[in-house]
Amino acid sequence: MNEGKSDICGWFVRRASWHAWAVLAVVLYVPVVNVARAGSDGGMDNAIVVRAARTWLDGGSPYADPHFLYLPGAVLAAVPQALLPLAVLRVLVPLTVTGLLAAGWACALRVHEISCRSRFAVLGLTGLALGFAPFGHLVTLGNWTVTAAAALPLGLLCAVRGRWVLAGAVIGAAIVLKPLLAPVALLFVLARRWRGLAALVLVPAVASGGAALLMPDPAGFVTRTLPFLLRGQDNFVRMYEASPGAVLARLGVPQGAAASIACAAAGAGVWCAYRRWSRTDPGPLRLAETAATLMLSAFLVSRPSYDHYLLVVLPLLLAGVPHPGSVARGPWFWLALLPQVPGFSWPWLEPVTRRAFRDCLTLCVLAAAVATVRRPAPDGPAPASKPVTDREARVLTRTGKRG
């Protein structure tokens, strides 16, 4: 088998048939139906935000609920949902979550210059939906992490095309809804894109500040939510946290030592992100892998840190498979995902309250794989495996039809 641009590579970049699209449609549609049938509010996590919006509409404080961990802008964003009947929400929420995950995957493909009509595009999203458990968890919960999962690839796509101010605005808008992408600000610092960084900071600052003035307690996020997060939250939430600090504490490590280990790991990750950016190799891998390293470093130390946070970075990494030397071509990338295979039962970790141990393993191994990735030698076969663009894919498709 030719190790350069092999037949299998050419097969992947050709346009997918309608059969593949039909399979993907079924794979994405069935979980939406199941969530709509099983629940009445579109997902437990989305219901928390909608309940906060309803509380605000009734004159109360959204931050009276300790599990509402969002900035004030999320309250206003959830108001349209609060005005809809539950029968609509139970279908609309899982459908929207699935659509945003698909949009994030499409943007990740375009970051790496891969056609969204290719077989790789269809099979990749099908594999994520079937083979990565957090995908289904996110659809079931309706968690607003999905906004970050769509915004990060979109923002990086803008950055790849040289539109850093727009990229900062996109990331900033996502932070308004959920402050998960705040660590991406370091990417703008590394790239010295100060106007983009200003947009990233100003958009959530202005939006959240304006929304806070409409709240009964404008400082509720600072006086209630932040202390709740810094205390490690309550026993219910702590059972599902995947950060090393939370998991090590459950294993008997003193809380201070566990937090120190997590902070040290996060600091090492940020250093690796700096080193990765310093290697000015051409192509989108530099941008995608640096952003992924920064986000994974944050997940190592953040409280909370859940399994579905991985969907913020995984599509970006997976879409880089056609690039030689990408993280997704290494064995540790796939070994990290093994604990997330649905239906794969692990001894002593079957209860859902112990799932955090598996999630922590995936997070740590994936972070190490991304942080320590090595580029191929310059004289290797790398140039022969250059990823195929949309124009090249169309040429291959026409050639295949003539043959």
Side-chain angles (χ1 to χ4, degrees), residues 187-246:
L187 177 65
F188 288 76
V189 174
L190 293 175
R192 298 185 179 182
R193 301 289 181 167
W194 308 118
R195 292 183 179 180
L197 178 63
L200 187 151
V201 174
L202 288 176
V203 169
V206 173
S208 298
L213 296 177
L214 303 176
M215 302 291 123
D217 53 345
F221 181 83
V222 176
T223 59
R224 298 190 183 189
T225 302
L226 284 182
F228 179 73
L229 291 172
L230 294 175
R231 288 195 306 267
Q233 308 183 59
D234 54 28
N235 291 331
F236 172 76
V237 175
R238 197 175 297 119
M239 285 292 175
Y240 301 95
E241 286 194 71
S243 64

Side-chain angles (χ1 to χ4, degrees), residues 30-118:
V30 169
V32 172
V33 175
N34 289 335
V35 173
R37 293 179 63 238
S40 60
D41 52 12
M44 180 179 66
D45 290 357
N46 181 73
I48 293 175
V49 189
V50 175
R51 187 165 58 246
R54 292 196 180 109
T55 301
W56 176 70
L57 290 174
D58 293 337
S61 171
Y63 295 101
D65 182 358
H67 292 144
F68 178 70
L69 308 177
Y70 300 79
L71 292 171
V75 178
L76 301 185
V79 167
Q81 288 193 60
L83 302 176
L84 293 175
L86 292 179
V88 175
L89 284 183
R90 65 193 302 175
V91 177
L92 181 62
V93 173
L95 190 62
T96 302
V97 171
T98 303
L100 287 175
L101 287 173
W105 171 244
C107 291
L109 291 170
R110 297 307 303 135
V111 167
H112 294 284
E113 299 182 342
I114 299 173
S115 172
C116 294
R117 299 179 180 180
S118 64

Side-chain angles (χ1 to χ4, degrees), residues 8-398:
I8 190 64
C9 181
W11 184 88
F12 267 117
V13 299
R14 290 189 176 94
R15 181 174 296 186
S17 66
W18 69 268
H19 310 83
W21 285 106
V23 171
L24 176 60
V26 172
V27 168
L28 297 180
Y29 176 74
V30 169
V32 172
V33 175
N34 289 335
V35 173
R37 293 179 63 238
S40 60
D41 52 12
M44 180 179 66
D45 290 357
N46 181 73
I48 293 175
V49 189
V50 175
R51 187 165 58 246
R54 292 196 180 109
T55 301
W56 176 70
L57 290 174
D58 293 337
S61 171
Y63 295 101
D65 182 358
H67 292 144
F68 178 70
L69 308 177
Y70 300 79
L71 292 171
V75 178
L76 301 185
V79 167
Q81 288 193 60
L83 302 176
L84 293 175
L86 292 179
V88 175
L89 284 183
R90 65 193 302 175
V91 177
L92 181 62
V93 173
L95 190 62
T96 302
V97 171
T98 303
L100 287 175
L101 287 173
W105 171 244
C107 291
L109 291 170
R110 297 307 303 135
V111 167
H112 294 284
E113 299 182 342
I114 299 173
S115 172
C116 294
R117 299 179 180 180
S118 64
R119 290 166 175 161
F120 177 72
V122 177
L123 294 176
L125 186 55
T126 303
L128 280 173
L130 289 178
F132 191 62
F135 191 103
H137 297 166
L138 193 56
V139 176
T140 301
L141 294 171
N143 193 282
W144 284 32
T145 296
V146 70
T147 58
L152 182 58
L154 177 58
L156 294 186
L157 179 59
C158 295
V160 164
R161 296 177 176 178
R163 306 177 69 180
W164 282 87
V165 175
L166 181 58
V170 169
I171 302 298
I175 292 175
V176 172
L177 301 179
K178 187 168 185 174
L180 194 62
L181 294 183
V184 180
L186 291 175
L187 177 65
F188 288 76
V189 174
L190 293 175
R192 298 185 179 182
R193 301 289 181 167
W194 308 118
R195 292 183 179 180
L197 178 63
L200 187 151
V201 174
L202 288 176
V203 169
V206 173
S208 298
L213 296 177
L214 303 176
M215 302 291 123
D217 53 345
F221 181 83
V222 176
T223 59
R224 298 190 183 189
T225 302
L226 284 182
F228 179 73
L229 291 172
L230 294 175
R231 288 195 306 267
Q233 308 183 59
D234 54 28
N235 291 331
F236 172 76
V237 175
R238 197 175 297 119
M239 285 292 175
Y240 301 95
E241 286 194 71
S243 64
V247 170
L248 289 174
R250 290 178 62 182
L251 293 174
V253 178
Q255 185 65 51
S260 299
I261 293 172
C263 288
V270 173
W271 171 250
C272 290
Y274 167 74
R275 294 294 301 272
R276 177 64 187 94
W277 183 260
S278 300
R279 297 198 302 269
T280 56
D281 48 301
L285 280 183
R286 180 193 185 201
L287 195 65
E289 291 179 356
T290 303
T293 305
L294 290 171
M295 290 305 304
L296 289 169
S297 300
F299 298 159
L300 287 171
V301 74
S302 66
R303 303 288 299 271
S305 184
Y306 302 124
D307 63 339
H308 50 74
Y309 285 9
L310 296 172
L311 282 166
V312 176
V313 299
L314 186 62
L316 275 171
L317 299 174
L318 183 62
V321 165
H323 293 274
S326 67
V327 175
R329 287 199 177 191
W332 289 105
F333 174 84
W334 299 101
L335 289 174
L337 303 184
L338 183 60
Q340 304 302 328
V341 175
F344 192 80
S345 181
W346 290 69
W348 302 288
L349 299 180
E350 296 91 345
V352 66
T353 54
R354 296 182 182 177
R355 179 178 176 84
F357 295 101
R358 287 189 283 163
D359 300 334
C360 182
L361 178 62
T362 293
L363 172 60
C364 293
V365 176
L366 185 60
V370 176
T372 60
V373 63
R374 295 289 183 266
R375 306 268 75 81
D379 56 350
S385 298
K386 180 181 177 182
V388 178
T389 63
D390 278 341
R391 177 180 295 180
E392 293 170 334
R394 288 193 293 269
V395 172
L396 285 172
T397 303
R398 289 194 298 267

